[in-house]
């Protein structure tokens, strides 16, 4: 199972249409939720969104997504619980 790249920073850049947190557009977010979306598509989508993000956005995404994979919760949600 491929974990969703959502890191709970759900705000869309009006200029690009990409989420500031995960780098996906609204269509990609919908596809992730479909029952018949393949793991291959999801893996490819993660590669694509990582190419969209740069600098601090990419670093923040990598750190939070890795934490989410390892702990089941994004860093943002973890910090809300404190």
């Amino acid at each position: 199972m491929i974990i969703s790249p959502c890191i709970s920073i759900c705000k869309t850049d009006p200029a690009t249409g990409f989420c500031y947190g995960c780098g996906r557009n609204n269509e990609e977010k919908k596809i992730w939720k479909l029952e018949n979306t393949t793991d291959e598509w999801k893996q490819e989508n993660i590669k694509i969104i990582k190419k969209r993000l740069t600098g601090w956005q990419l670093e923040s995404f990598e750190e939070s997504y890795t934490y989410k994979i390892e702990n089941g919760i994004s860093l943002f949600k973890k910090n809300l619980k404190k």
Side-chain angles (χ1 to χ4, degrees):
M1 181 178 135
I2 309 295
I3 303 294
S4 165
C6 177
I7 58 170
S8 304
I9 310 294
C10 303
K11 192 76 173 169
T12 302
D13 181 334
T16 65
F18 299 130
C19 177
Y20 288 119
C22 70
R24 296 180 295 168
N25 62 36
N26 288 336
E27 186 64 25
E28 290 166 328
K29 290 176 186 179
K30 289 177 190 174
I31 293 170
W32 268 87
K33 294 178 183 179
L34 297 175
E35 189 176 303
N36 63 343
T37 301
T38 66
D39 284 350
E40 290 79 17
W41 184 92
K42 292 177 180 181
Q43 289 171 332
E44 185 61 30
N45 187 241
I46 290 172
K47 289 178 189 176
I48 290 168
I49 64 176
K50 284 182 180 181
K51 290 178 184 177
R52 288 181 188 150
L53 302 173
T54 60
W56 66 267
Q57 275 184 300
L58 179 58
E59 290 174 22
S60 179
F61 172 77
E62 292 278 14
E63 181 181 8
S64 191
Y65 187 54
T66 298
Y67 188 88
K68 181 179 177 181
I69 290 169
E70 294 172 352
N71 299 282
I73 188 172
S74 70
L75 284 175
F76 180 77
K77 285 187 177 179
K78 173 189 170 258
N79 289 335
L80 283 178
K81 290 184 173 188
K82 287 184 179 181

